[in-house]
């Protein structure tokens, strides 16, 4: 009777999909309330300026407009001038929490200046066009390196300079390693990464109910509990006065983990107007108002031996942080630590400067800096291979951490104060399997054959690790009432990745029922006592193990109660098909509903086995440390040397995220991650001009990878369970993004080997490739 | 984003449409809307009136008039793409139209809409330039005809008066011993071209080129005929060596560039696409399809 598809480790169908595929999902913009008003924001049209005059009277006078709010109108509701959201961070020289609306200085194009609330969005936009905003232009800082020049203009007047944080990683003796190294290579890398660009943009709807004294905020966020905490702080209300609900979310990818000004401004407007107010981001806002990743400039050196062993790496990382600090400094730190990857790196020193610029603030998007760190390491390894005349796979093989070295500590302190340590993984085997799957050994013959036909094909490889399952905890509560329905509530949140299925599958496994029999509640701050949400590829690790623990506890309670009701010993009870029955006597059974009814209590009677009341349990899983997913990517490309066009012919991933709960969903995550990586490598580029004006604010100018440029992605799994959590699982959500830029660029460089180009920058555009080829031709001619 | 306020008009006849355009201030013709509607929603266009030609009779259809294929301006790109007549009699147009946007936008986008909008990255104006299509225009004083070469005024603007409507486009039918090819380079298949090229050549005895037409898109505000190359071709058969001669003429092309796609890169594309397109067209003219 057991449902094989519910077992942990099987590709159970997603419980979310029936509704989503029928169009019966409910996303933020699907929510319509009586008396609903719609909002839009007037945003700064310049990268830096002083507000000389802000006249909203004409906008307020337009028919259908209910209010136009400026900072001065909202400030009386706030407990502080700025939004109280600083994440603690070592190395932060000064925190620059954003304002809910600009006060008197605007610091990036897209910064919200005024909020218009009207009968409809169209009227609100008409009204916004009537606002007079006189700005005195100030010089804009656009380049993260220029930002630190002694004579650089200031990004914000109140800050002492543009160096918002400085931190470093330093272990081993890098200088000594370089002093005795037979080989040293230096290289600068300029890496751009784009935004999250979820299919569903951000959105907020807020309603204040006077009778209930409750502000309900529907928020398309990855972190509803954090959003609630910030709202409580910012508005000076109590926890019981605010409930944050996250409906179906069409993609998060990082930016929706950041609390943005609109998430405070819209609830404030609802409080002031006593009417529900909705705002849904438009696509211009996706580019200018939503945090994303920006530029990094790495100036690096690698020291190595004649037999290609790494001795040390040192250098600097200048990180473009944008105009405020909404999400700490995790991004460049991830980048710098992920550089180490699956390799033995005896000495490493990197100075990290976080430079403020007059751009939309940067914050983690899928990969969260790690693709860049991996890119730098993998590029340096390819440079070493070229210099030593060794195959690229061989250089890597000689430096990979062996499985016998696990757990492998690296003397780098992490955000939680612990020391970095890789838990499990067989990196050499992972690379070997990927090389075999992609036909690495035969490739040079195929490449030569293609070249004789005038075709330039190349094969690239990259290894990487990813720290997943970041803590400190996640919550799951399971409740079963007399109806017998199993309801699991979690602080984890769902953005389309299948979190509900993941939780349901784990709970269903314990009850021996189908995942569809478990109702999962995510994204409701009133459904769990606490919660964190989606970031750092963590929810299978944290919520998965919380669900596992909660399920075991509630099954034990049900079995104990059933034993009492059936007058047998606990050990004689088994759970089959969601019922507790006596082993060997299947007709002697109690359903979960019956047990719940018994545990609900009867006036005056004792509870079965003197158990505490209710068939319910609430638990939190606290992490024991980060667990490291790893993988190897192989990309085969063809480059048209006349146009610089790149076509991806084949893509192979060997992926190890420990024990898999649902392999189909892991593959969905890896494929999506690789596609994000393809975008970051070949297509996506958030560009600004010298005045800080964004140049790519439509999807005609900012190119996302479409189905017709993405190859079939072939995935092979390894499973190295982690001892750090009971399920043995690791995260899988960002991993695909991390290896892709390195593998693709290595392939492009390989294809263009006859031209002798070295690629150091991302993204790789056709004109950039033509430029590199021309420069190489000029060098060889000279 | 939402469009600014406008009034929508749906005339049923051409005369009604022309009369509306003559009488309304700041009106725009809606001819499929695959460019105009996004422009409205982005608020980069703010007409007070939209005159939708979707219900005007007589503006759709594809007719063979012998020397020319006459296509109603409101014929959808998808209809042209699926037309056996166009494939046979005007293969250059058939090849190019498949590159226009996505199938979903081709279902709504029209031939006339694309030609009048004159996006530098659009495919159809380049075909119209290469074949020097004849545009049939209706206005308050009657009908007139204009060769495409006289049509563009500049970036996204044509010689069409505010009260005139493009009704039909006459594309010269392909002749004997003639081959054509359309190629473009873009980052993703459905995007506007960074550079596109439309060529058509006719061969005489011993495969000597007797006539050649070459038009580029994407390098200036409007499509550009490459007269130097067209003049250099007749009198000899097509060969790789001739291709290299053409490539050497490319640096003389006036070419607009920007930070992302600089002029020298676009000239690289022009040279490469031109030689590839001519090679295809010559093979087709010689009866060998490629």
């Amino acid at each position: 009777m057991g449902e094989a598809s519910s077992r942990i480790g099987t590709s159970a169908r997603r419980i979310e999909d029936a509704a989503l595929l029928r169009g019966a999902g409910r996303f933020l913009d699907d929510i319509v309330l009586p008396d609903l008003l719609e909002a839009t924001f007037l945003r700064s049209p310049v990268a830096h300026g002083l507000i000389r005059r802000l006249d909203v009277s004409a906008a307020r006078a337009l028919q259908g407009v209910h209010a136009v709010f400026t900072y001065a109108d909202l400030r009386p509701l706030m407990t502080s001038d700025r939004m109280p959201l600083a994440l603690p961070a070592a190395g932060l020289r000064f925190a620059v929490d954003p304002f809910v609306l600009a006060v008197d200085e605007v610091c990036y194009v897209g910064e919200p200046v005024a909020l218009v609330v009207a009968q409809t969005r169209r009227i609100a936009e008409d009204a916004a066009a009537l606002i007079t905003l006189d700005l005195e232009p100030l010089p804009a800082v656009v380049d993260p390196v220029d930002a630190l020049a002694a004579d650089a203009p200031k990004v914000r007047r109140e800050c002492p300079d543009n160096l918002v944080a400085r931190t470093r990683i330093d272990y081993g003796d890098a200088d000594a390693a370089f002093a005795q190294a037979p080989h040293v290579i230096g290289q600068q890398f300029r890496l751009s990464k784009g935004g999250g660009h979820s299919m569903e943009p951000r959105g907020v709807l807020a309603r204040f109910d006077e009778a209930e004294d409750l502000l309900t905020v529907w928020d398309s966020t990855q972190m509803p509990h954090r959003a609630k905490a910030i709202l409580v702080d910012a508005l000076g209300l109590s926890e019981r006065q605010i409930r944050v609900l996250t409906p179906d979310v069409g993609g998060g990818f990082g930016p929706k983990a950041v609390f943005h000004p609109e998430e405070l401004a819209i609830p404030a407007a609802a409080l002031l107007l006593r009417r529900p107010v909705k705002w849904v981001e438009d696509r211009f806002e996706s580019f200018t108002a939503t945090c994303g990743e920006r530029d990094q400039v790495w100036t690096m050196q690698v020291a190595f031996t004649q037999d290609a062993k790494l001795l040390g790496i040192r250098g600097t990382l200048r990180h473009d942080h944008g105009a405020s600090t909404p999400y700490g400094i995790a991004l460049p730190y991830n980048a710098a630590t992920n550089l180490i990857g699956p390799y033995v790196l005896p000495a490493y020193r990197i100075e990290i400067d976080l430079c403020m610029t007059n751009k939309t603030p940067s914050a983690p998007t899928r990969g969260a800096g790690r693709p860049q760190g991996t890119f730098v390491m993998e590029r340096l390894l390819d440079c070493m291979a070229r210099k030593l005349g060794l195959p690229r796979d061989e250089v890597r093989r000689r430096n990979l951490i062996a499985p016998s070295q696990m757990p492998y500590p690296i003397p780098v302190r992490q955000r939680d104060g612990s020391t970095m340590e890789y838990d499990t993984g067989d990196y050499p085997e992972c690379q070997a399997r990927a090389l075999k799957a992609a036909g690495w050994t035969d490739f040079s013959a195929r490449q030569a054959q293609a070249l004789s036909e005038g075709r330039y094909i190349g094969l690239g490889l990259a290894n990487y690790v990813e720290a997943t399952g970041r803590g400190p905890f996640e919550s799951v509560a399971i409740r079963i009432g007399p109806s017998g329905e199993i309801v699991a509530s979690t602080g984890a949140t769902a953005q389309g990745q299948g979190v509900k299925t993941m939780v349901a599958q784990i709970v269903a496994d314990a009850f021996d029922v189908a995942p569809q029999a478990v109702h999962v509640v995510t994204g409701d701050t009133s459904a769990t006592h606490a919660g964190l949400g989606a970031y750092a590829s963590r929810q299978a690790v944290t919520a998965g193990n919380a669900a596992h623990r909660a399920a075991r506890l509630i099954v034990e309670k049900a079995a104990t109660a059933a034993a009492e009701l059936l007058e047998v010993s606990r050990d004689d009870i088994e759970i089959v098909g969601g019922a507790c029955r006596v082993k060997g006597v299947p007709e002697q059974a109690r359903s979960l509903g019956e047990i719940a009814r018994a545990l609900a209590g009867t006036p005056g009677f004792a509870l079965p086995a003197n158990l505490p009341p209710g068939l319910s349990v609430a638990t939190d899983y606290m992490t024991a440390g980060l667990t490291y997913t790893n993988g190897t990517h192989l990309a085969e490309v063809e480059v048209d040397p006349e146009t610089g066009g790149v076509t991806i012919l084949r893509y192979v991933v060997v992926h190890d995220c420990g024990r898999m709960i649902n392999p189909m969903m892991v593959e969905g995550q890896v494929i999506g991650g690789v596609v994000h990586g393809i975008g970051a490598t070949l297509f996506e580029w958030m560009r600004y001009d010298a005045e800080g004006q964004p140049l790519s604010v439509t999807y005609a100018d900012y190119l996302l990878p479409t189905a017709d440029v993405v190859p079939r992605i072939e995935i092979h799994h390894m499973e190295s369970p982690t001892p750090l959590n009971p399920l043995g699982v690791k995260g899988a959500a960002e991993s695909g993004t991390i290896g892709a830029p390195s593998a693709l660029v290595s392939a492009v460089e390989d294809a263009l080997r006859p031209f002798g180009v070295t690629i150091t920058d991302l993204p790789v555009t056709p004109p950039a490739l033509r430029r590199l080829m021309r420069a190489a031709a000029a060098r060889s001619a000279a | 984003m939402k469009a600014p306020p406008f009034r929508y008009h749906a005339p049923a006849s051409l005369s009604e449409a022309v009369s509306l355009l003559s009488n309304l201030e700041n009106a725009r013709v809606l001819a499929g809307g695959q460019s105009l509607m996004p422009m409205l929603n982005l608020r980069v266009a703010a007409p007070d009136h939209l005159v939708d030609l979707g219900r005007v009779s007589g503006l759709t259809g594809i007719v063979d008039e012998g020397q020319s294929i006459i296509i109603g301006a409101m014929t959808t790109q998808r209809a042209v793409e699926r037309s056996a007549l166009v494939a046979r009699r005007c293969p250059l147009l058939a090849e190019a139209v498949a590159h226009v946007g996505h199938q979903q936008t081709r279902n709504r986008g029209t031939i006339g809409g694309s030609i009048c909008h004159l996006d530098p990255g659009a495919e159809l104006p380049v075909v119209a330039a290469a074949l020097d299509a004849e545009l049939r225009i209706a206005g308050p004083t009657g009908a007139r005809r204009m060769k495409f070469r006289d049509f563009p005024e500049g970036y996204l603007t044509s010689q069409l008066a505010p009260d005139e409507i493009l009704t039909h486009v006459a594309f010269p039918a392909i002749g004997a011993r003639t081959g054509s090819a359309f190629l473009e380079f873009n980052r993703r298949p459905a995007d506007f071209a960074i550079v596109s090229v439309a060529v058509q050549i006719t061969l005489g005895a011993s495969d000597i080129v007797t006539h050649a037409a070459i038009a580029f898109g994407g390098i200036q505000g409007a499509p550009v005929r490459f007269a130097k190359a067209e003049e250099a071709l007749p009198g000899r058969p097509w060969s790789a060596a001739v291709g290299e001669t053409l490539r050497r003429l490319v640096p003389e092309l006036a070419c607009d560039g920007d930070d992302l796609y600089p002029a020298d890169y676009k000239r690289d594309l022009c040279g490469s696409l031109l030689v590839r397109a001519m090679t295809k067209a010559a093979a087709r003219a010689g009866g060998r399809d490629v």
Side-chain angles (χ1 to χ4, degrees):
Chain A
M1 147 118 209
E3 295 279 346
S5 69
S6 73
R7 294 286 172 223
I8 292 171
T10 58
S11 291
R13 285 198 193 165
R14 300 182 359 138
I15 65 172
E16 295 91 342
D17 289 344
L20 294 176
L21 292 174
R22 284 202 311 269
R26 193 171 81 146
F27 296 86
L28 189 116
D29 205 21
D30 295 325
I31 302 171
V32 177
L33 300 176
D35 299 327
L36 182 64
L37 301 174
E38 296 187 326
T40 195
F41 288 86
L42 176 76
R43 296 181 180 280
S44 172
V46 301
H48 200 190
L50 282 180
I51 299 178
R52 284 291 172 226
R53 183 161 154 259
L54 176 60
D55 182 354
V56 301
S57 52
R60 278 181 179 146
L62 189 73
Q63 185 164 14
V65 172
H66 285 252
V68 181
F69 297 121
T70 65
Y71 177 78
D73 302 312
L74 300 188
R75 178 64 184 86
L77 270 71
M78 311 287 166
T79 56
S80 57
D81 290 342
R82 293 169 183 273
M83 301 204 302
L85 41 91
L87 287 179
L92 207 58
R93 295 176 66 232
F94 44 87
V96 188
D97 285 342
F99 294 100
V100 61
L101 293 171
V103 183
D104 57 0
E105 183 184 17
V106 287
C107 297
Y108 59 94
V109 173
E111 184 167 4
V113 174
L115 166 60
V116 184
V117 184
Q119 209 64 39
T120 65
R121 173 71 181 242
R122 186 187 65 73
I123 296 171
E125 289 183 16
D126 291 346
L130 299 174
I131 295 174
T132 304
L133 174 62
D134 286 342
L135 290 163
E136 176 187 326
L138 293 173
V141 179
V142 180
D143 183 272
V145 176
D146 297 347
L148 298 190
D151 57 349
K154 286 206 274 187
V155 169
R156 310 188 80 101
R157 287 173 312 158
E158 77 272 20
C159 294
D161 52 48
N162 300 325
L163 180 65
V164 67
R166 171 167 279 178
T167 183
R168 65 178 358 212
I169 293 168
D170 190 0
Y171 72 79
D173 190 339
D175 290 338
F178 275 83
Q180 48 151 303
H183 296 285
V184 171
I185 295 174
Q187 193 64 262
Q188 189 174 84
F189 304 91
R190 184 174 272 270
L191 311 180
S192 191
K193 187 164 178 276
H197 298 285
S198 47
M199 192 172 288
E200 183 211 19
R202 292 184 301 124
V204 188
L205 189 167
R207 174 186 66 190
F208 178 65
D209 186 316
E210 281 187 279
E212 290 188 52
D213 188 23
L214 180 67
L215 176 67
T216 305
V217 180
W218 289 263
D219 191 357
S220 183
T221 175
Q222 295 169 220
M223 300 184 72
H225 283 276
R226 176 171 147 79
K228 173 178 166 171
I230 292 167
L231 287 170
V232 165
D233 256 8
L235 296 169
L237 298 174
S238 86
E239 285 73 14
R240 94 173 145 76
Q241 291 173 298
I242 297 181
R243 178 185 184 192
V244 176
L245 286 158
T246 301
D248 283 328
V249 173
F253 309 122
K256 287 183 184 174
V258 177
F259 189 89
H260 287 80
E262 298 88 354
E263 291 169 273
L264 177 55
I266 297 298
L271 284 171
L272 287 169
L273 291 168
R274 295 294 197 254
R275 291 270 300 258
V277 180
K278 176 157 79 178
W279 165 80
V280 175
E281 175 184 279
D282 67 31
R283 286 304 184 186
F284 178 76
E285 293 173 314
S286 299
F287 289 101
T288 57
T290 297
C291 297
E293 292 198 22
R294 319 242 164 268
D295 295 356
Q296 292 185 341
V297 181
W298 299 66
T299 308
M300 304 300 289
Q301 286 183 308
V302 58
F304 52 100
T305 66
Q306 180 60 30
D307 59 355
K309 292 270 197 185
L310 288 164
L311 293 171
I313 288 179
R314 68 184 176 191
T316 59
L317 164 56
R318 300 271 165 81
H319 173 80
D320 183 342
H321 194 71
S324 66
T325 58
Y327 206 80
I329 65 167
L331 177 47
Y333 201 75
N334 286 347
T337 52
N338 221 60
L339 175 142
I340 302 163
Y343 304 107
V344 175
L345 179 61
Y348 180 33
R349 188 182 70 230
I350 185 165
E351 316 279 346
I352 306 166
D353 286 343
L354 285 81
C355 313
M356 283 215 294
T357 59
N358 291 107
K359 297 180 190 165
T360 308
S362 82
T365 69
R366 201 174 200 169
R370 298 182 188 89
Q372 297 92 317
T374 293
F375 184 85
V376 169
M377 175 58 111
E378 294 292 317
R379 294 277 70 215
L380 291 174
L381 290 166
D382 279 0
C383 289
M384 286 165 55
R386 196 178 307 124
K387 178 150 186 190
L388 295 171
L390 284 168
R392 288 168 292 165
D393 59 322
E394 181 59 24
V395 168
R396 285 165 174 80
R397 197 175 294 120
R398 292 181 190 181
N399 289 287
L400 285 170
I401 297 163
S404 60
Q405 292 172 277
M406 294 291 176
Y408 185 82
I410 296 167
V412 170
R413 268 168 71 84
Q414 308 189 98
R415 222 188 293 171
D416 65 1
S418 65
T419 296
M420 196 168 156
E421 183 174 275
Y422 298 162
D423 44 340
T424 56
D426 187 343
Y427 306 151
E429 176 64 17
C430 186
Q431 174 174 305
R433 287 194 198 181
L435 296 177
K436 187 158 183 286
W440 179 268
T441 17
D442 307 334
F443 185 73
S444 51
R446 283 207 290 133
Q447 190 176 38
Q449 173 64 31
L451 196 55
S452 73
E453 298 159 9
R455 295 173 53 229
Y456 293 79
I457 63 172
L459 189 59
L461 87 161
N463 298 304
Y464 64 96
V465 300
E466 181 198 356
T468 73
R470 195 180 293 283
F473 78 95
E474 198 50 87
S475 64
V476 168
I478 302 177
R479 293 190 317 277
I480 302 169
S483 72
E485 187 188 35
I486 305 166
V487 178
S489 308
T490 178
T493 59
Q495 292 81 41
Q497 66 276 69
V499 165
K500 290 185 180 183
T501 299
M502 181 269 291
V503 169
Q505 200 169 345
I506 290 167
V507 174
D509 193 347
F511 285 107
D512 189 37
V513 295
Q516 286 74 12
V518 181
H519 181 81
V520 181
V521 178
T522 61
D524 180 352
T525 56
S526 68
T528 56
H529 75 103
L532 286 165
Y535 55 92
S537 302
R538 66 186 295 273
Q539 300 198 111
V541 176
T542 56
N545 279 289
H548 178 63
R549 173 179 295 165
R552 277 186 317 155
L553 289 171
I554 197 166
V555 161
E556 190 53 35
K557 186 170 186 180
T560 305
E564 173 88 358
L565 296 170
L566 293 164
E567 299 181 8
V568 296
S569 85
R570 160 67 187 93
D571 293 342
D572 290 332
I573 296 290
E574 61 181 357
I575 290 252
V576 179
C580 293
R581 67 187 199 191
V582 178
K583 286 177 190 164
V585 197
E587 61 277 14
Q588 285 213 42
R590 287 290 182 275
S591 71
L592 292 175
E594 288 167 332
I595 298 166
R597 190 180 302 279
L599 285 170
T602 308
F605 291 84
L607 288 162
N610 284 319
L611 288 165
L615 187 49
S616 64
V617 63
T619 186
D620 303 299
Y621 173 78
M622 285 176 285
T623 52
L626 292 166
T627 174
Y628 283 80
T629 291
N630 69 281
T632 302
H633 289 201
L634 270 284
E636 185 178 329
V637 304
E638 177 168 349
V639 183
D640 181 341
E642 290 195 7
T643 62
V646 176
T647 307
I648 308 171
L649 302 174
R650 190 163 178 219
Y651 206 98
V652 175
V653 178
V654 178
H655 191 258
D656 189 342
C657 59
R659 188 179 176 204
M660 289 185 286
I661 296 165
N662 184 319
M664 177 190 73
M665 296 205 305
V666 169
E667 287 180 11
Q669 290 287 315
V670 174
I671 290 169
V674 170
V675 174
H676 253 122
I678 290 171
T681 310
L682 297 175
F683 296 101
E684 299 178 49
W685 194 6
M686 188 64 208
R687 293 179 298 115
Y688 290 83
D689 71 10
E691 278 72 51
Q693 280 293 335
L695 299 173
S696 46
V697 293
T698 73
Y699 290 112
D701 295 310
Y702 183 95
L703 308 181
L704 291 167
T706 42
D708 43 14
V709 297
V710 172
R712 193 175 81 82
I713 293 157
E714 181 183 325
I715 301 169
H716 304 266
H717 298 289
M718 291 174 64
E719 288 191 274
S720 305
T722 178
L724 295 177
N725 64 66
L727 288 172
V729 300
K730 305 178 177 183
E734 296 167 272
S735 158
T737 312
I738 297 170
S742 308
L744 286 163
V745 166
S746 183
V748 170
E749 214 176 76
D750 186 43
L752 294 178
R753 206 170 282 272
F755 300 90
V757 303
T758 303
I759 301 169
T760 55
D761 298 354
L762 287 176
V764 179
T765 63
L769 283 180
R770 286 287 307 162
R771 204 156 45 237
L772 287 172
M773 289 163 65
R774 261 191 227 176
R779 266 199 312 277
S780 62
Chain B
M1 285 189 194
K2 309 292 178 198
F6 58 83
R7 274 201 65 182
Y8 173 82
H9 307 266
S13 69
L14 190 58
S15 58
E16 196 188 336
V18 168
S19 146
L20 279 167
L21 289 176
S22 308
N23 295 319
L24 297 171
E25 282 293 311
N26 190 24
R28 285 286 294 265
V29 165
L30 179 63
Q34 298 308 292
S35 295
L36 183 55
M37 293 314 293
M39 289 168 71
L40 291 177
N41 283 343
L42 290 165
R43 294 192 177 225
V44 295
D48 292 313
H49 301 272
L50 280 190
V51 178
D52 185 355
L53 300 186
R55 290 181 182 77
V56 173
S57 58
L59 294 186
T60 58
I62 304 165
V63 177
D64 191 342
E65 275 193 2
Q67 292 294 305
S68 294
I69 307 300
I70 316 298
I71 303 181
M74 288 298 289
T75 309
T76 65
Q77 293 148 7
R78 184 70 174 153
V80 172
E81 183 185 1
R82 294 168 66 109
S83 162
L85 176 63
V86 171
R88 196 173 66 248
R89 302 273 286 143
C90 195
L92 181 60
L93 177 60
E95 190 171 16
V97 77
H99 290 275
V100 178
H102 303 258
Q103 185 183 311
Q104 289 84 346
T105 62
R106 293 196 293 275
N107 281 334
R108 290 221 171 231
T110 62
I111 295 292
S114 176
I115 284 177
C116 291
H117 185 53
L118 280 173
D119 191 294
E123 291 82 0
L124 300 181
V126 184
V127 173
L131 300 180
D132 204 14
E134 181 187 83
L135 308 179
R136 301 185 178 175
I137 296 162
T141 56
R144 63 171 176 140
R145 296 182 176 195
M146 181 190 278
K147 287 294 209 175
F148 182 83
R149 77 173 94 93
D150 301 319
F151 184 65
E153 188 173 278
Y155 177 73
L156 294 181
T157 51
S158 73
Q159 296 291 346
L160 220 51
D163 53 3
E164 284 186 316
I165 293 171
L166 175 68
T167 62
H168 297 85
V169 185
F171 290 96
I174 195 165
R177 300 273 290 152
T178 302
S180 65
F182 180 89
L183 286 177
E184 68 179 23
F185 182 77
N186 48 21
R187 306 280 294 280
R188 303 173 303 180
D191 288 341
F192 278 120
I194 297 166
V195 170
S196 63
V197 64
V199 304
Q200 186 156 301
I201 62 169
T202 304
L203 304 181
S206 313
D207 285 353
I208 302 285
V209 176
T210 58
H211 178 262
I214 299 166
F216 287 110
I219 64 171
Q220 290 180 32
V224 176
R225 285 287 287 262
F226 195 9
K228 271 250 161 72
E230 292 175 359
E231 288 156 14
L233 276 163
R236 46 187 170 168
W238 172 258
S239 68
V242 174
E244 289 317 301
T245 310
L246 290 196
R247 214 191 280 263
R248 280 195 292 276
L249 297 175
V250 165
E252 297 175 29
L253 271 172
C255 197
D256 298 336
D258 55 28
D259 280 355
L260 190 54
Y261 304 115
D264 61 349
Y265 174 66
K266 287 191 174 182
R267 281 195 203 94
D268 285 354
L269 291 180
C270 287
S272 175
L273 294 177
L274 174 58
V275 171
R276 291 175 188 186
M278 287 302 301
T279 305
K280 264 191 169 184
R284 288 169 174 171
R288 302 180 307 280
D289 205 354
V290 281

